[in-house]
Amino acid sequence: MNNFTYTQADGVDNAVQEIAGHSEARFIAGGTNLIDLMKEHVMQPEHLIDINSIHLNSIEFLEDGRLHLGALVTNADTAWHPAVEKHYPLLSDAILAGASPQLRNMATNGGNLMQRTRCYYFYDTTTPCNKREPGAGCSAMNGYNRIHAILGTSPHCIAVHPSDMCVALRALDATIQVKGLHGERLIPIADFHRLPGDTPQLDNNLAHDELITGIILPREHFTQHYKYLKVRDRASYAFALVSVAVVATMEEGIITNIRMAMGGVAHKPWRDENAEQWLKGKPATQENFAYAADMILQDAKTFGTNDFKPALAKRAIVRACREATNIG
Amino acid sequence: MDQVAASVMVDQPTHTITLTVNKITYELKVLPWVTLLDAIREYIELPGTKKGCDHGQCGACTVLVNGKRINSCLTLAVMKNGADITTIEGVAEDGVLHPLQQAFIDHDAFQCGYCTPGQICSAIGLINEGKATTREEIQELMSGNLCRCGAYPNIVAAVQQVNGKL
Ligand SMILES: Cc1cc2nc3c(=O)[nH]c(=O)nc-3n(C[C@H](O)[C@H](O)[C@H](O)COP(=O)(O)OP(=O)(O)OC[C@H]3O[C@@H](n4cnc5c(N)ncnc54)[C@H](O)[C@@H]3O)c2cc1C
Ligand code: SF4
Ligand code: FES
Ligand code: FES
């Protein structure tokens, strides 16, 4: 690790003021991503602001029935919180499919949203990478890209966002609550993470001087028809090659509402509203799900070692939809 | 209170912190980039906790912080100021092995032993959490601890022997 200075923030305003005054400072929460990247010299902040003493560590219902998850609540406490288990079981399942029990005891909800790609070349400072060093080139494009994106890529970067939690948040239509020097902002999860475009160095739309204070889950609960399916190279403690989060409502075998979000395929959790719209009002059948999966993957572009991904993604969508709608 | 002096370079931003490790409170002077793992091994000189990968990928560095299992390689000592920490050296009481230590012996749950301190601390954390009952659940919730000798079936058997009985 490079040398850095360290302070503890005691409140949201104090944290925001401190980061605003220092362009090379970073917040540290659980540390599970940032310390790893600092040990690899991928991130070299000059100053760390520890936000663990800020009181953003509770999960509470808002007056209108939505659920507010504090940014500093750990992933483990979120997944096992009675209100999350009862009303948002998809989110519990997705969180518990990620990392390990020890890591989930440290990782926070804010840090999970902000975690960076696991692209091997991003981690290897001896290879060119546009995300680390804009303009340097992308080593993954013609390299080993088994874990890389197939949707929404750009000629500058084909990295994926590695989170499981965020895929569930996308299916649930969560809102990210952030606070900056000029007040509070609410960012729909769909607009939080970015596609790489020609600015692959930017993972998301959070400004440097903004702090994530919480995640708001809508009142719609989807407790009957939901599935988080994660496909990976080993049974546990591995990032997704492809993951699918499905929530649905059904009436007599007919899909009345459905949302499908995917991980491991793009620079952000991926959703295709056209395919969801197409499924609405149709019976939950293997054929209909396969047709929707084809729609979602129709523009997929592969890069060699990830040529297997569109087929895998389609099968994963069909299986997740079948299991969510109880057709087996 | 034991005083532990870390090697300190002039003009470095040291922090004075206290860590209670296995019921003894230590006052440490640490630089901000010292991980909790290095503080435990190098400064407090408790080398039972192991460094495997140093990147959160193996679980060898697992310790209990305020009763919860974490990877000590991915947190900073300064961030744990005031915390109550248990390492493998602190799980036996009054010279009697912790039931999990005994179970690991009973089931021959290690070969080289490098992963074992982390496995045992992780299993204590798992039992505290109370979320695993079946063999499959134990396997899933022990997946944060790799064993390169492949003692997995025996480790799971050892955890099963103690699970629900503490
Ligand atoms: C071996 C390993 C395996 C893993 N496997 C998985 C997996 O399978 N699935 C998965 O989803 N994840 C996985 N993870 C990633 C893990 O989920 C993330 O590292 C974790 O969620 C990050 O949270 P943190 O609190 O530790 O973040 P930190 O490391 O503390 O911070 C990460 C970034 O977020 C910023 N940040 C933190 N909190 C805030 C805030 N409130 N506001 C603004 N910025 C903030 C920090 O400045 C930093 O840049 C794995 C990690 C490891 C090490
Ligand atoms: S895919 Fe993105 S993160 Fe990976 S090497 Fe290319 S530019 Fe860097
Ligand atoms: S040394 Fe900490 S997880 Fe491997
Ligand atoms: S006993 Fe050798 S690594 Fe587990």
Side-chain angles (χ1 to χ4, degrees):
Chain A
M1 269 189 273
N2 64 314
N3 294 5
F4 56 86
T5 49
Y6 168 91
T7 50
Q8 281 172 336
D10 54 16
V12 171
D13 293 336
N14 163 241
V16 167
Q17 268 156 16
E18 209 181 323
I19 199 134
H22 201 324
S23 64
E24 297 304 318
R26 287 282 176 282
F27 294 129
I28 185 157
T32 61
N33 191 223
L34 185 55
I35 293 179
D36 189 25
L37 289 164
M38 287 168 66
K39 286 182 179 180
E40 298 284 7
H41 301 283
V42 175
M43 292 181 75
Q44 301 189 306
E46 289 172 6
H47 182 61
L48 288 188
I49 304 164
D50 184 343
I51 53 176
N52 285 286
S53 312
I54 299 181
H55 295 287
L56 296 172
N57 48 6
S58 65
I59 294 185
E60 277 159 23
F61 282 103
L62 302 175
E63 273 176 19
D64 60 9
R66 295 179 302 161
L67 190 66
H68 184 271
L69 314 174
L72 270 302
V73 182
T74 65
N75 283 178
D77 287 347
T78 304
W80 284 331
H81 191 278
V84 177
E85 283 186 321
K86 181 160 179 230
H87 300 299
Y88 306 95
L90 175 82
L91 181 59
S92 290
D93 286 0
I95 292 173
L96 294 175
S100 71
Q102 290 97 313
L103 288 162
R104 295 192 296 264
N105 275 343
M106 309 166 79
T108 64
N109 293 335
N112 197 313
L113 281 159
M114 296 295 290
Q115 66 173 301
R116 309 210 64 188
T117 184
R118 309 302 287 202
C119 169
Y120 334 104
Y121 305 100
F122 174 68
Y123 263 80
D124 179 356
T125 54
T126 63
T127 59
C129 166
N130 286 325
K131 189 180 274 300
R132 247 192 298 107
E133 203 188 322
C138 169
S139 300
M141 202 83 67
N142 300 309
Y144 189 74
N145 43 46
R146 178 172 171 75
I147 60 170
H148 288 75
I150 53 175
L151 292 166
T153 55
S154 84
H156 306 286
C157 180
I158 59 171
V160 302
H161 191 263
S163 167
D164 292 293
M165 182 187 92
C166 296
V167 180
L169 293 180
R170 184 88 160 93
L172 293 169
D173 258 340
T175 301
I176 315 306
Q177 185 187 35
V178 314
K179 182 97 193 268
L181 272 188
H182 307 292
E184 188 180 282
R185 202 155 71 97
L186 295 171
I187 311 174
I189 182 76
D191 302 330
F192 187 81
H193 297 104
R194 297 168 60 97
L195 289 178
D198 52 14
T199 50
Q201 68 276 18
L202 302 177
D203 300 342
N204 56 57
N205 290 314
L206 194 79
H208 174 73
D209 64 0
E210 283 178 320
L211 175 80
I212 300 170
T213 52
I215 300 170
I216 300 169
L217 301 176
R219 278 185 59 177
E220 264 176 302
H221 290 157
F222 300 105
T223 50
Q224 250 206 310
H225 298 291
Y226 66 90
K227 176 72 191 176
Y228 189 73
L229 176 69
K230 181 172 180 182
V231 186
R232 44 188 154 171
D233 279 331
R234 58 183 183 196
S236 185
Y237 202 9
F239 286 94
L241 286 170
V242 167
S243 70
V244 185
V246 179
V247 289
T249 52
M250 308 261 295
E251 252 168 59
E252 294 171 10
I254 303 296
I255 300 159
T256 48
N257 190 12
I258 188 162
R259 298 195 207 134
M260 302 170 283
M262 299 184 74
V265 296
H267 202 256
K268 60 190 283 187
W270 190 265
R271 250 179 88 181
D272 186 331
E273 278 83 355
N274 290 333
E276 293 172 5
Q277 200 54 42
W278 184 86
L279 277 171
K280 277 181 208 165
K282 296 206 170 55
T285 62
Q286 161 93 18
E287 294 68 35
N288 285 338
F289 292 138
Y291 189 88
D294 281 340
M295 280 175 82
I296 298 171
L297 274 306
Q298 65 190 353
D299 294 328
K301 184 170 166 11
T302 63
F303 299 89
T305 3
N306 71 355
D307 290 349
F308 68 94
K309 266 198 184 180
L312 180 67
K314 285 183 198 175
R315 289 187 202 128
I317 293 169
V318 173
R319 195 172 120 199
C321 288
R322 289 179 60 135
E323 290 186 20
T325 56
N326 311 338
I327 64 163
Chain B
M1 191 179 285
D2 284 20
Q3 299 274 331
V4 181
S7 65
V8 168
M9 286 176 276
V10 202
D11 291 338
Q12 295 282 16
T14 55
H15 295 254
T16 302
I17 61 166
T18 61
L19 295 177
T20 301
V21 184
N22 305 331
K23 303 201 171 87
I24 300 172
T25 301
Y26 300 87
E27 184 172 287
L28 269 70
K29 286 188 172 44
V30 288
L31 293 163
W33 47 88
V34 174
T35 61
L36 179 62
L37 174 60
D38 287 341
I40 290 170
R41 285 180 55 87
E42 311 294 336
Y43 298 174
I44 301 177
E45 296 184 345
L46 290 172
T49 308
K50 298 292 182 259
K51 184 182 283 193
C53 63
D54 216 17
H55 289 282
Q57 298 174 1
C58 76
C61 65
T62 304
V63 299
L64 297 157
V65 174
N66 304 328
K68 292 190 173 167
R69 48 177 167 165
I70 64 150
N71 305 95
S72 59
C73 69
L74 286 188
T75 190
L76 303 171
V78 274
M79 293 168 68
K80 292 291 175 274
N81 189 10
D84 185 18
I85 295 159
T86 306
T87 70
I88 191 65
E89 289 92 342
V91 302
E93 271 184 50
D94 305 325
V96 180
L97 291 184
H98 186 280
L100 273 162
Q101 290 176 303
Q102 188 59 51
F104 268 63
I105 296 170
D106 296 345
H107 291 273
D108 200 12
F110 46 84
Q111 290 183 43
C112 75
Y114 198 81
C115 71
T116 313
Q119 299 279 4
I120 289 176
C121 287
S122 185
I124 294 173
L126 168 127
I127 291 170
N128 289 347
E129 289 158 13
K131 301 289 178 184
T133 43
T134 65
R135 184 185 173 84
E136 289 68 34
E137 285 164 350
I138 292 173
Q139 283 175 329
E140 169 59 30
L141 292 175
M142 283 298 291
S143 70
N145 294 81
L146 303 193
C147 173
R148 287 301 83 196
C149 299
Y152 295 113
N154 308 38
I155 294 169
V156 174
V159 178
Q160 270 183 307
Q161 173 173 312
V162 182
N163 193 29
K165 300 192 188 100
L166 283 187

